[in-house]
Amino acid sequence: MKFIELKNVNKTYSTGVTALADMSVVIDKGEFVFVIGHTASGKSTFIKMLYREEKPTKGSVVVGGVNVAKLRNGRVYKLRRKIGVVFQDFKLLPKLTVYENVAFALECLGMKEKEIRPKVMKAIEIVGLKEKVRSFPHQLSGGEQQRVCIARAIVNEPKLLICDEPTGNLDPETSKEIMKVIDSINKDLGTTVIMATHDKDIVNRMKKRVLLIEHGVLTGDYLKGSYKSHESV
Amino acid sequence: MKAFRIFFRSIRDAFKSVFRNFSLSMASILCATITLMVVAISLLIAGNVNSITKDLESELSIVVYLEESAKEDDISFLESKIKAIKGVEEVIYKSNEERELEMSEYSSSYATIFESYEDSPLLNTFIITVDDAEKLNSIAEEIKVMDNVESALYGENSVDTIVEAFSFIEKVTIIVVIALVFVTAFLITNTIKLAIYARRSEIEIMRLVGASNMAIKLPFVFEGFIIGILGSFIPIIIIIYGYIIIYEKMGGHIISNIVNLINPYNFVFDVGIIILLLGAIIGMFGSLNAVRKYLKI
């Protein structure tokens, strides 16, 4: 079942740089897709378009039935409530505890306190940080901080989890653990996962569908497990 | 219900945030304190300058000398005609006997002079006060041409110069106060902008988790409100106590007994309320303006 569809998408920045050229791709519900490519290849632009941080210059970007390209600024927040985003630099609020950081996502939506607590505790449990609910980000390791970021991204039970180089700042062992968490979210909760990464090992080991973007062009769409033999990044 | 929850949560978060980002909040509060202090003092000075010029202007009057031949009926008819002129506030009749008595009481040399006359050498008069000193000239000219009027004098050239000077002073003080309010708004807004710049990642996260623009703006607007209010406390306390002390020390006058300071009660509290509102409004709009920048997509 189609969940994301990009049709002839172009993105040219005001500086004249073309980040994406005529990109078309379909991603089904519940899929786990890696997006790979060199730095400045256009993969971040692709990822940002999905949660409407960027708008295409031409073409359509449909996420969960909504044409994101035509979405009015005042309506963007409704799309974002269906999407969880995990960043390379975690983007945690340093003065809030683990619990508060995760709850923050629900408080912003105006949810009741008694509804927030069980959802937050469940998300924290999924990422395995139950013992650290009262800790502040500076008291956590990089891997733990990334887990908090994942918990915050999934606390509202999004249909889509976007991960922008989530293991970029982590050592290989911690990266493996984080990938286990993300994989289990995909398998157990049925959440569609789209992950931009530079980490060849992870891509090879996970054997998922891979989209290869080079100079703004989608040059490869490798089905589940078929990427390893086409190593170019 | 959801809107109420967001509203009250925003107030709670605003208070939390002021304390959690203490150094940034202190910078904004201190900036508000210093600039509002300058505005408060300028308001006190401007208020007093305007009050003093109004006081002095109200002392200015037209003296209408009546012809010797004017009868009692003529005088009362003339009085009613003068009262009917637009801008005339009060008309007081002073007969020549009354004026002779007043002058004799003022100086014995006048009394000696008056004794040498069989009849009073003075003319009957009307003392006329007007609601606006700038109308002295036109009203005097109108009265001069009336029947039974010998002359109508108000000090002419010297009074015209004083009136012009007062009006200039009033305008200058108003312009200075307005300019200071703008400078204050600019400085407070920019300090808040810097404080919010340091927390732009917070706004980014709020946007990414799907908070509506209103839910993002509200806590910052309340925070700006709190900062503005806290920043206005010290200036308000200083001007209230400071002005009352100065007023009492100077006995309510400045330079001489005819130049009165404004009574502190009500006046100083009114200025306090203006400073409080100014702080709160500038704080709120400063924050709103700063946050808006990060909400553009």
Side-chain angles (χ1 to χ4, degrees):
Chain A
M1 191 185 163
K2 247 192 253 176
F3 186 62
I4 294 169
E5 185 173 19
L6 273 78
K7 258 190 205 165
N8 310 110
V9 170
N10 280 274
K11 174 70 188 178
T12 306
Y13 287 103
S14 53
T15 51
V17 175
T18 300
L20 286 179
D22 201 29
M23 184 170 178
S24 297
V25 70
V26 173
I27 295 169
D28 286 337
K29 201 175 175 189
E31 261 195 283
F32 192 130
V33 180
F34 283 114
V35 182
I36 60 169
H38 292 290
T39 305
S41 59
K43 59 182 190 302
S44 279
T45 305
F46 166 68
I47 290 274
K48 282 180 178 172
M49 272 186 192
L50 300 178
Y51 58 94
R52 183 44 162 73
E53 189 66 7
E54 294 288 354
K55 267 168 135 180
T57 319
K58 250 198 261 170
S60 70
V61 179
V62 178
V63 178
V66 178
N67 188 350
V68 174
K70 286 189 178 164
L71 201 61
R72 280 188 5 239
N73 284 352
R75 296 257 160 201
V76 171
Y77 73 96
K78 293 199 169 174
L79 168 82
R80 300 229 170 122
R81 288 177 185 185
K82 294 177 193 156
I83 300 172
V85 190
V86 178
F87 305 93
Q88 181 177 2
D89 58 351
F90 321 133
K91 293 198 195 298
L92 298 177
L93 295 169
K95 287 173 180 164
L96 301 188
T97 63
V98 167
Y99 179 88
E100 288 169 330
N101 260 291
V102 180
F104 181 76
L106 299 179
E107 285 185 356
C108 286
L109 313 182
M111 207 174 266
K112 281 183 197 161
E113 204 63 51
K114 60 179 178 192
E115 287 173 330
I116 291 175
R117 199 171 167 78
K119 278 176 180 267
V120 171
M121 290 315 292
K122 189 182 160 196
I124 290 175
E125 214 175 313
I126 289 172
V127 298
L129 275 181
K130 218 175 156 190
E131 311 302 315
K132 306 257 178 172
V133 277
R134 286 175 203 278
S135 303
F136 285 92
H138 69 269
Q139 297 167 322
L140 304 174
S141 68
E144 286 169 333
Q145 289 188 47
Q146 192 55 288
R147 283 165 189 261
V148 182
C149 184
I150 295 170
R152 185 183 61 197
I154 60 165
V155 71
N156 197 28
E157 293 156 18
K159 301 272 177 284
L160 173 64
L161 182 66
I162 295 173
C163 307
D164 196 359
E165 313 233 10
T167 56
N169 282 345
L170 306 174
D171 60 69
E173 272 313 301
T174 316
S175 297
K176 269 186 199 168
E177 286 172 24
I178 291 297
M179 287 317 299
K180 263 188 203 166
V181 174
I182 295 174
D183 197 29
S184 71
I185 290 166
N186 171 249
K187 282 178 178 153
D188 303 342
L189 306 178
T191 311
T192 309
V193 176
I194 297 179
M195 177 170 157
T197 185
H198 270 124
D199 196 327
K200 245 191 286 183
D201 291 341
I202 288 177
V203 178
N204 288 335
R205 198 177 55 245
M206 300 280 293
K207 300 196 186 333
K208 305 285 184 187
R209 182 180 171 192
V210 176
L211 300 179
L212 174 63
I213 301 177
E214 288 174 310
H215 307 293
V217 180
L218 181 67
T219 53
D221 184 352
Y222 306 98
L223 295 177
K224 228 173 167 182
S226 65
Y227 171 68
K228 207 173 177 180
S229 54
H230 297 86
E231 271 182 72
S232 61
V233 178
Chain B
M1 274 315 284
K2 201 182 256 186
F4 277 113
R5 257 197 308 275
I6 289 176
F7 185 83
F8 289 111
R9 225 168 243 161
S10 299
I11 296 175
R12 182 202 68 184
D13 289 348
F15 274 102
K16 266 191 192 172
S17 192
V18 168
F19 292 103
R20 276 182 167 159
N21 302 290
F22 192 71
S23 54
L24 289 172
S25 304
M26 271 314 282
S28 306
I29 291 169
L30 278 177
C31 173
T33 300
I34 293 163
T35 49
L36 288 173
M37 188 73 230
V38 175
V39 173
I41 292 171
S42 73
L43 277 173
L44 291 181
I45 293 171
N48 274 289
V49 167
N50 281 344
S51 157
I52 289 166
T53 55
K54 287 265 164 358
D55 272 1
L56 293 176
E57 277 180 7
S58 69
E59 297 292 320
L60 300 172
S61 56
I62 303 169
V63 182
V64 179
Y65 294 94
L66 308 180
E67 282 176 350
E68 235 175 315
S69 57
K71 301 277 178 299
E72 227 172 277
D73 287 351
D74 300 329
I75 294 170
S76 55
F77 179 66
L78 183 63
E79 186 178 356
S80 60
K81 260 179 91 178
I82 294 172
K83 275 183 179 167
I85 298 173
K86 214 176 166 190
V88 169
E89 214 167 58
E90 198 179 20
V91 180
I92 298 167
Y93 175 71
K94 265 194 188 152
S95 67
N96 53 2
E97 285 95 357
E98 276 177 272
R99 292 182 58 224
E100 200 178 304
L101 194 68
E102 270 178 17
M103 289 171 78
S104 303
E105 277 170 5
Y106 182 70
S107 165
S108 58
S109 50
Y110 283 131
T112 319
I113 295 166
F114 291 139
E115 273 167 21
S116 63
Y117 287 91
E118 208 170 291
D119 293 323
S120 171
L122 302 177
L123 294 171
N124 295 323
T125 56
F126 282 125
I127 312 293
I128 296 161
T129 49
V130 295
D131 59 7
D132 181 357
E134 287 184 14
K135 290 180 190 161
L136 280 169
N137 181 22
S138 61
I139 291 174
E141 290 302 317
E142 208 174 320
I143 294 171
K144 263 181 200 170
V145 295
M146 288 178 177
D147 289 339
N148 300 307
V149 173
E150 165 80 29
S151 60
L153 306 172
Y154 64 94
E156 277 75 22
N157 291 342
S158 56
V159 168
D160 285 343
T161 313
I162 291 170
V163 169
E164 267 173 36
F166 283 171
S167 139
F168 177 72
I169 292 168
E170 280 174 19
K171 278 174 194 152
V172 167
T173 51
I174 290 169
I175 290 168
V176 168
V177 169
I178 292 173
L180 282 172
V181 168
F182 274 108
V183 170
T184 301
F186 180 76
L187 289 175
I188 297 177
T189 303
N190 275 297
T191 318
I192 291 177
K193 253 186 202 169
L194 286 177
I196 289 181
Y197 177 77
R199 291 164 57 197
R200 61 195 184 286
S201 60
E202 210 171 305
I203 298 170
E204 194 187 346
I205 294 165
M206 288 171 104
R207 283 178 51 213
L208 290 171
V209 297
S212 64
N213 282 357
M214 185 51 80
I216 298 173
K217 282 180 207 163
L218 268 183
F220 285 98
V221 169
F222 284 126
E223 207 177 316
F225 178 80
I226 295 167
I227 284 169
I229 297 276
L230 290 178
S232 64
F233 277 170
I234 293 175
I236 290 172
I237 292 168
I238 290 178
I239 58 156
I240 288 178
Y241 284 100
Y243 188 77
I244 291 173
I245 290 167
I246 290 170
Y247 184 84
E248 281 170 2
K249 278 244 160 93
M250 298 181 90
H253 310 293
I254 188 164
I255 308 165
S256 82
N257 279 359
I258 56 159
V259 185
N260 296 320
L261 289 169
I262 303 176
N263 193 310
Y265 295 97
N266 287 350
F267 170 60
V268 81
F269 296 110
D270 289 346
V271 173
I273 289 169
I274 291 172
I275 293 299
L276 190 75
L277 290 176
L278 215 55
I281 292 169
I282 294 174
M284 279 164 72
F285 283 97
S287 292
L288 187 64
N289 187 32
V291 177
R292 209 181 276 156
K293 197 180 152 195
Y294 300 106
L295 294 180
K296 285 178 189 152
I297 301 166

